[in-house]
Amino acid sequence: MIISDQNIKKPLGYIVRNRKGYQSDLKKYDIYIKSFKTVGFINTGHTLKADTYSITDLADNYYKDLFGRTSYYKQRILGFLDKLLKKI
C-alpha cells in the first residue's frame, strides 16, 4: 500500500482530534496505526478494561508540517467540541 498525504490525513487527523482513548476505537485505521506505533506517533498502554493509546508531540508536529497549522487547530477544536457535546 502506498501512503500519500491524503491517505494519512484521516487516520492522523483522528488521533490529533481525539488525543487519547482505547485502541479498539482505531480498528478502522489498523494499517496506519501499526505504522504510527512504530514511528512514535502514539504511545500505547493498557487498563483493566482495554488497551489504550495517546498521541505524542511528534505526531502533532508532523500533522502541522504536513497539513498546516490551520488544519491542525481545526482538528483540535472539533475534538474539543465533540467532547463538550458528549458531556451535555
Side-chain angles (χ1 to χ4, degrees):
M1 171 184 239
I2 297 173
I3 297 178
S4 71
D5 292 353
Q6 293 307 313
N7 288 351
I8 200 172
K9 190 169 187 174
K10 283 187 179 183
L12 189 57
Y14 182 86
I15 64 170
V16 166
R17 185 173 46 250
N18 292 295
R19 312 303 294 164
K20 61 184 176 181
Y22 294 109
Q23 288 186 39
S24 59
D25 298 340
L26 305 174
K27 287 290 183 197
K28 62 183 172 183
Y29 302 120
D30 199 35
I31 280 179
Y32 299 101
I33 299 309
K34 290 176 184 176
S35 298
F36 290 170
K37 289 178 188 177
T38 302
V39 297
F41 284 176
I42 58 175
N43 293 318
T44 58
H46 62 277
T47 62
L48 293 175
K49 184 177 176 182
D51 292 332
T52 60
Y53 77 93
S54 64
I55 191 169
T56 64
D57 290 340
L58 180 63
D60 280 334
N61 292 331
Y62 187 76
Y63 190 93
K64 287 177 199 174
D65 289 344
L66 203 56
F67 302 111
R69 289 185 181 276
T70 303
S71 181
Y72 172 78
Y73 288 115
K74 177 183 173 186
Q75 292 297 334
R76 294 297 310 271
I77 291 168
L78 289 173
F80 174 74
L81 292 174
D82 285 345
K83 288 180 183 178
L84 184 65
L85 293 175
K86 285 181 183 177
K87 291 184 179 186
I88 295 178

